[in-house]
């Protein structure tokens, strides 16, 4: 039994005329009759009988007709669903992003994607890089904007660096700089109370590592905040924090002081599972992301301290 035979059978059953059915499906009447006969042979029962010159369904034909219609409807639905997914008229893409990137890089990228593909479902998960890597490896995300760890990404991921950014010192009051350029050295933070992110944030690890490499353990005024909380704590004068310039750039109540070279820099990457073929929607979102970075670079719209790597 083949799908085209079922289509021919349904056409004859509905029109009750072999010649008209052949014209409807676009083949000759002898070819249609041959295919109907082959279907009857496969089923082991006649499907049509002639009664006074008219075409009527046999009992076997009556049983087959609703089943054939259902099968053909399911096939048409499956074909349409796949075509819509391939054509990005439907589908889903799940993007993870660190808090700083979820509020800075992700919004314009998602806006471009939404404008181009308004019917694709967008799901965004915000979390620290370690959490996002775990979600990627579990298959809960299609793509993630993460911060590359110093030892490199997990071997189960493909992580492509796209941006490098320098962290800045965020504070409410001016900080006394000891360098000739007005920049702060990491050692200048030795006696400054720091507002610290919770465990799992790469910014926490970057801050602690920078201080320890400079030979001191930082003094924490508040420990365990999320991104919005840390920004608010700094604005409230509870302490200073090392933050991405891409985030602090939009907070007029916070002063920004650059770090003297080598400073503290981090690499932003777009990551996915290495062993999973990305969906069409996932590939398209990645393409639009890279396109946005290219356009922002060309138009000099990247925030200070951020440089492209693509």
């Amino acid at each position: 039994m083949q799908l085209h035979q079922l289509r021919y059978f349904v056409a004859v059953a509905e029109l009750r005329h072999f010649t008209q059915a052949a014209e409807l499906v676009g083949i000759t009447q002898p070819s249609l009759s041959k295919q109907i006969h082959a279907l009857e042979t496969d089923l082991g029962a006649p499907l049509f009988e002639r009664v006074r010159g008219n075409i009527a369904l046999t009992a076997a034909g009556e049983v087959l007709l609703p089943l054939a219609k259902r099968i053909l409807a399911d096939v048409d639905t499956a074909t349409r669903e796949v075509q819509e997914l391939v054509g990005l008229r439907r589908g889903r893409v799940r993007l993870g992003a660190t808090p700083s990137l979820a509020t800075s890089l992700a919004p314009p990228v998602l806006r471009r994607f939404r404008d181009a593909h308004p019917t694709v479902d967008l799901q965004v998960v915000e979390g620290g890089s370690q959490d996002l890597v775990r979600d990627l490896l579990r298959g809960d995300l299609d793509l993630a904007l993460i911060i590359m760890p110093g030892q490199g990404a997990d071997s189960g991921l493909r992580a492509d660096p796209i941006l490098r950014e320098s962290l800045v010192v965020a504070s409410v009051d001016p900080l006394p700089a000891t360098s000739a350029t007005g920049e702060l050295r990491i050692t200048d933070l030795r006696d400054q109370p720091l507002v610290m992110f919770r465990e799992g944030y790469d910014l926490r690890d970057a801050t602690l590592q920078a201080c320890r490499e400079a030979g001191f353990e930082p003094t924490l005024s508040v420990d365990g905040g999320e991104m919005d909380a840390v920004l608010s704590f700094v604005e409230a004068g509870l302490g200073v924090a090392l933050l991405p310039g891409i985030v602090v750039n939009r907070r007029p109540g916070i002063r920004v002081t650059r770090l003297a070279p080598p400073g503290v820099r981090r690499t932003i990457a777009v990551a996915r599972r290495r062993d999973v073929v990305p969906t069409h929607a996932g590939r398209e979102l990645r393409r639009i992301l890279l396109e946005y970075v290219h356009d922002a670079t060309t138009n000099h719209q990247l925030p200070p301290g951020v440089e492209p790597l693509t």
Side-chain angles (χ1 to χ4, degrees):
M1 183 187 303
Q2 300 182 29
L3 287 176
H4 68 273
Q5 293 174 336
L6 292 179
R7 293 191 188 279
Y8 300 162
F9 163 71
V10 170
V12 175
E14 291 180 339
L15 295 174
R16 302 300 170 100
H17 198 286
F18 274 74
T19 301
Q20 293 177 8
E23 293 175 354
L24 178 66
V25 298
I27 63 173
T28 64
Q29 189 272 327
S31 295
L32 182 139
S33 296
K34 182 178 180 180
Q35 291 298 323
I36 294 294
H37 179 69
L39 179 60
E40 291 174 327
T41 300
D42 288 342
L43 294 174
L47 299 172
F48 298 101
E49 59 183 358
R50 294 184 179 273
V51 179
R52 302 185 187 90
N54 296 321
I55 301 298
L57 287 169
T58 63
E62 293 285 357
V63 170
L64 178 62
L65 182 58
L67 297 174
K69 287 183 176 180
R70 189 185 311 158
I71 291 170
L72 294 173
D74 287 343
V75 170
D76 290 341
T77 298
T79 301
R80 183 172 61 254
E81 291 284 338
V82 171
Q83 288 176 341
E84 287 176 343
L85 284 170
V86 171
L88 278 175
R89 291 191 295 274
R90 294 187 61 183
R92 178 192 67 177
V93 61
R94 301 164 299 174
L95 174 68
T98 64
S100 61
L101 299 175
T103 59
S104 57
L105 181 58
V109 171
L110 294 180
R111 176 58 185 270
R112 284 195 181 194
F113 185 88
R114 169 62 67 218
D115 289 344
H117 310 292
T119 59
V120 175
D121 292 334
L122 284 172
Q123 298 180 9
V124 178
V125 174
E126 185 177 339
S129 290
Q130 297 174 26
D131 298 330
L132 297 177
V133 167
R134 179 200 62 213
D135 291 344
L136 278 171
L137 294 174
R138 290 193 314 197
D140 294 335
L141 294 174
D142 299 305
L143 290 173
L145 292 168
I146 64 171
I147 305 304
M148 288 280 283
Q151 70 274 20
D154 188 284
S155 61
L157 299 180
R158 173 181 170 179
D160 300 314
I162 57 174
L163 293 169
R164 180 178 292 119
E165 66 175 349
S166 299
L167 299 185
V168 298
V169 181
S171 65
V172 171
D173 300 319
L175 298 176
T178 58
S179 68
T181 61
E183 299 170 323
L184 288 171
R185 299 185 177 93
I186 287 294
T187 52
D188 294 331
L189 302 180
R190 183 188 302 270
D191 299 320
Q192 292 289 339
L194 294 185
V195 177
M196 187 57 65
F197 291 89
R198 67 167 174 82
E199 295 282 351
Y201 268 51
D202 62 276
L203 286 169
R204 179 188 183 92
D205 296 337
T207 301
L208 294 177
Q209 180 179 350
C211 293
R212 289 165 182 167
E213 289 179 352
F216 69 96
E217 197 70 24
T219 300
L220 305 184
S221 64
V222 183
D223 189 7
E226 301 276 349
M227 176 61 73
D228 286 341
V230 167
L231 288 167
S232 297
F233 294 155
V234 172
E235 287 175 326
L238 291 172
V240 305
L242 282 185
L243 293 169
I246 202 171
V247 172
V248 187
N249 194 45
R250 301 190 308 278
R251 305 290 286 236
I254 295 180
R255 292 178 178 269
V256 173
T257 307
R258 293 184 180 278
L259 287 170
V264 180
R265 300 200 298 173
R266 63 182 197 164
T267 299
I268 299 167
V270 56
R272 66 171 177 83
R273 271 181 63 173
R274 189 178 296 276
D275 62 341
V276 174
V277 177
T279 64
H280 194 59
R283 291 196 302 271
E284 179 66 2
L285 178 58
R286 183 181 182 279
R287 184 193 68 78
I288 288 176
L289 167 66
L290 297 179
E291 177 186 76
Y292 172 80
V293 170
H294 175 269
D295 291 348
T297 303
T298 302
N299 298 326
H300 306 289
Q301 294 175 338
L302 291 176
V306 178
E307 57 181 297
L309 296 177
T310 58

